[in-house]
Amino acid sequence: MNLTLVVLCAILCGSGVYLLLERSLSRVLVGLLLLSNGVNLALLSAGGPAGSSAFYGSADPADMADPLPQALILTAIVITLGTVAFVLAMAHRSWQLNANDDVQDDVEDAVIRRLASDDAQSDGYDLDGEGDDDTPEEEGS
């Protein structure tokens, strides 16, 4: 495993995660691309050393490269392309509606969190179903 590729993977994945946590959709998009490339490099470096092409009869099977990491990388590229198209569409629509691409707080989500917090403090909130601890135990059973 090449140490340079491992360091580059770590830098790309770290930068990608940092940018994914931002509120701007354009930064989220760049973070998604960096993270995707970092994961693809990790798959490529974990696939082992380079070898001959994996066509039947072209080389000794022991000298052939493992085609599985390359197939996984190709699949990851296709999935990333679809995700990037979705994020670009969201950023474009957000720009049309709000003249910026920042992700706003969801008002309904805040209301649900407040209601759940109020319900957690009420007497009727019991997820375990064990009942109240204040009820006296039945005697003589």
Side-chain angles (χ1 to χ4, degrees):
M1 186 175 285
N2 191 349
L3 183 62
T4 307
L5 282 179
V6 172
V7 170
L8 187 59
C9 291
I11 291 171
L12 286 174
C13 288
S15 302
V17 168
Y18 177 75
L19 288 173
L20 276 176
L21 297 176
E22 295 286 328
R23 287 193 167 255
S24 171
L25 285 176
S26 58
R27 291 184 183 191
V28 169
L29 180 67
V30 173
L32 181 70
L33 291 172
L34 288 177
L35 184 64
S36 171
N37 285 322
V39 169
N40 288 342
L41 277 178
L43 285 173
L44 187 64
S45 64
S52 300
S53 61
F55 292 116
Y56 180 74
S58 64
D60 186 32
D63 296 335
M64 289 183 183
D66 187 13
L68 182 61
Q70 297 169 8
L72 289 175
I73 290 171
L74 182 61
T75 304
I77 288 171
V78 171
I79 291 171
T80 302
L81 181 65
T83 307
V84 164
F86 177 70
V87 173
L88 273 175
M90 279 196 331
H92 178 69
R93 186 67 179 158
S94 177
W95 186 265
Q96 282 181 336
L97 293 176
N98 304 324
N100 61 25
D101 62 345
D102 289 340
V103 177
Q104 304 295 323
D105 287 333
D106 189 12
V107 177
E108 293 295 324
D109 185 45
V111 169
I112 290 172
R113 274 188 276 136
R114 187 176 46 82
L115 288 175
S117 175
D118 291 344
D119 190 35
Q121 297 169 356
S122 68
D123 292 336
Y125 184 77
D126 186 17
L127 290 177
D128 297 337
E130 297 176 358
D132 294 335
D133 292 336
D134 298 338
T135 57
E137 295 182 16
E138 294 182 21
E139 295 180 14
S141 58

